[in-house]
Structure formats: structure tokens, C-alpha cells
Amino acid sequence: MIYSFRELTSAKDIRLKNVYRQIRKYPKIDINQLKEITGYKHATCVRLLEELIENKLIDDSDLGDSSGGRPPKLYKINKNINYLVGIDIGYLFIKIVLLNLNLEIVCLEKIPVDETATPEKMLKFVEESIDMFLEKKKLSREKILGVGLGILPKYDRKKIIIDSKEPFSKLGWSDFKIKEKIEEATKYQVFVESGMNLSALAEYRKQYFGNAESLLFISNDVSLKSSAIINGKFVYKGDEEINGIEHMIIDIEGNQCSCGFKGCLGTYCTLPVLEKKIKENPKMVENDNGAEITYLEMIGEIDHENPYFIKERDNLAYYFGVGVSNMILQMHPDVVIIGGTLGIRMYEKIINIVSERLLLLGLADKTVIHVMNDEFNSVSQGAGCLVFDYFIEEDNSLEIQNKN
């Protein structure tokens, strides 16, 4: 029945869809909460809930706490009535997951992005993985609602072609129409969005869907990126906006940036900046054999609490905290999520810096800041969520792009 939700147009059908949408937002919800949220009468909610139960879209087997009478029934979506496929094309791995409707990972496969990672290999990997998922879980093809695709490298949003440089440019990706090819191979509709936006979407849907209207997600590793969601919709749709925090000017006479301006935030607090600091003082790296230290090795030194790396991380975190504060002051989000391999290791320092600045402005209690819950699977989970949203959310902001 979820397939038909997009075609439902009668007043009764729209109410049915709305009740299902509200139940989705919460782990469990009772009829009184539904009445308050939707504004529907008790009898209307009862009829709509009965129809959703009859179609096996929701479950009512749990009971709430009694206030003296009969315990209220608690409703939740049937997470296994359908499934979602999420694909994550990143810089290190290409990953595919099978998700239930609660965005829980049921199956996962991945291959490295190396010198063999051609688009043809990716396509075969996706096709074989979906077949394996279906066989392993004994599912019919109709059980999968569609395929979501998250792309971390820069890509052409009209043609859905990766236009980033290495390693993809050397492997034949520059003229490979990813969305079109996956649809041809799998026979599923494919929905596409940037990996950064999908990381934010996964965090929002899994943790804050029923509790926050706006979320700001900021990632710090090789570069700075951000994504914002307000009322369930992406605020940033282009790479220029997603990368905008990288070029937030914090010192007009500061460090030279590749963009041509001086003082951009990205020149003060990312992994390349830490690498530059290390090259200026290579003797501070333990077991130095003359080879250049990799980003993963730098993260390892931080995790092993190398005093020099901790000091430099904290220096970088100060500038990152200033940038995060500026974004909060600009957007006033309910929730801020800090992600990225370097960002999550700056979290405690950032909290102090941001809290101090917001306290001075009387805004300390307006925004909560958390570290990202799942750094490694958020893109693929967000990609699956994209599919589910297409069928049940109103005025889907991705509809135009995904009808190409």
C-alpha cells in the first residue's frame, strides 16, 4: 500500500497518509497523542488506525502505562512491511545496505574505492548485492520500495555524473550516468542526493524527527561541509552551499585560501591544516621514518593522545568552534550535529567554545549540540530514507531532481 500513497488524493486518503506519517515520527504513540498532533476527532483516528492495521502498515501489540483504567494501545509502523536500499559512493568505499523502514541495517556490503573501482564494477556490485539481499532475507522484488543513492564526491546534479578529480576521473566515471545505469540494471526507481545532505537526513530522521524542527550538521575532516534541515526539507541543494562554511571568512587578513580570498575558516581547522603543522615540526611525530604521515595516521596519533597532536587539535578546534558559533547565530537551529573524522575528535573542546560565546549573547539554552551517532553508515541510511520520504512525505523537495 505504501506504493500507492503518492497517488492518494481524496480527503480521507490524505488523512490516512497523515496518520501514518505521524506514527512514523515516534517509536510508539497512543491515540490521544495522534488526536493532539493531527487535530482529528477520536472516531476519525480510530477508523484510520483500523485501516492501517488491516493493511499491516502499523502494529498495535504494545500497551502504554495505565492511569487507572485500561492501558492505552501504542502504535508503531510495521518496519518489515517493506524495505529500502541505500547506496553510498564515498572516497574510500562504495557501500550498499538493505534497510527496514526504521532505517535499521538488515544487510550490508562494501567494496574499496581503489584502482579497480570502475563504474562497471560498481554497477555489477550493486546488482549482485540486491539479488543477494533478496535471496538471503527471502524477499520478493516488490518488497523493496526503491534505491537511494548518496554521492560524497562533487557531481553534476542535472546529469548525475561525478565530476570530481582523483580517483574517479581516472576510472571512467566522468561520463557515466549513475542514476540512469542503476535504474536500468536494477529495475528500481533511484533517488539521488549529496552524501553530506543524506548524513544530516539520517541523523534527523533517526534521532530528532518528532522533537526538532531544524537541524544543522557540520562535518570536519579533509574539508568543511555543512547541511541544514528545516521542517524536514534540505536548505542547501548545491555543492557551493554545502561547502560554504569552508569559506566563511574569520580574518580578512588571515591565511590565503585556494578560493583567492584570505582568512577562510577551512584554512584554520581541517586535516590538511593539521598536516601542514606537522610538516613544520616533523620531529614531533613518533617513529618518524621520513615518510609523510597520512590522515589516518594523524587521527591515530590523536586517538593515542600524542601530546603534540592533542595540542594542535585543540588549537584547530578553537577556530572550528568559532565557525560553528557563527553558523548557530545565523540559523538558530534546534539541534547541531558535529561529524567528520576530525570534527568528532574536537567535540568536547567545541562545546566549551560555543557555549561560552552563546552564553554571552543569552542564547546558550536555545540550541543543543551533539556528536554524530553513526559516522560510517549515515550516508547509506539517509539514502534509504530518501526513498521512504518520496512515498509518504508531503511536497517532497527532491521530487523534481529525481524525476529526471
Side-chain angles (χ1 to χ4, degrees), residues 181-193:
K181 294 294 185 181
I182 293 178
E183 287 182 333
E184 289 177 359
T186 65
K187 310 305 180 188
Y188 288 115
Q189 189 171 5
V190 175
F191 305 86
V192 187
E193 185 50 64

Side-chain angles (χ1 to χ4, degrees), residues 175-222:
D175 58 354
F176 187 82
K177 296 183 178 180
I178 308 171
K179 177 180 183 291
E180 179 181 314
K181 294 294 185 181
I182 293 178
E183 287 182 333
E184 289 177 359
T186 65
K187 310 305 180 188
Y188 288 115
Q189 189 171 5
V190 175
F191 305 86
V192 187
E193 185 50 64
S194 77
M196 186 64 195
N197 273 346
L198 293 182
S199 288
L201 181 64
E203 287 290 309
Y204 179 72
R205 291 285 192 256
K206 290 189 298 177
Q207 303 293 331
Y208 307 102
F209 199 7
N211 305 311
E213 294 183 356
S214 57
L215 177 145
L216 174 64
F217 175 58
I218 303 175
S219 175
N220 183 356
D221 40 49
V222 177

Side-chain angles (χ1 to χ4, degrees), residues 123-189:
L123 198 61
K124 183 179 180 182
F125 165 68
V126 166
E127 195 172 2
E128 291 178 348
S129 295
I130 292 177
D131 289 341
M132 182 174 61
F133 294 163
L134 293 171
E135 182 178 356
K136 183 176 181 179
K137 306 309 293 186
K138 308 300 181 186
L139 302 174
S140 64
R141 289 190 61 84
E142 293 72 24
K143 280 287 186 178
I144 294 178
L145 293 176
V147 176
L149 173 62
I151 305 175
L152 276 172
K154 186 178 179 181
Y155 71 98
D156 185 315
R157 284 180 168 264
K158 291 183 178 180
K159 299 178 181 179
I160 318 297
I161 293 174
I162 292 179
D163 56 11
S164 289
K165 298 180 180 179
E166 294 184 22
F168 296 96
S169 61
K170 294 183 177 181
L171 296 172
W173 289 80
S174 58
D175 58 354
F176 187 82
K177 296 183 178 180
I178 308 171
K179 177 180 183 291
E180 179 181 314
K181 294 294 185 181
I182 293 178
E183 287 182 333
E184 289 177 359
T186 65
K187 310 305 180 188
Y188 288 115
Q189 189 171 5

Side-chain angles (χ1 to χ4, degrees), residues 199-200 203 217 337-340 344 370-376 378-379:
S199 288
E203 287 290 309
F217 175 58
I337 303 296
I338 303 298
I344 61 176
H370 296 296
V371 70
M372 191 172 185
N373 284 313
D374 190 346
E375 181 74 20
F376 302 105
S378 60
V379 173

Side-chain angles (χ1 to χ4, degrees), residues 210 228 270:
T270 59

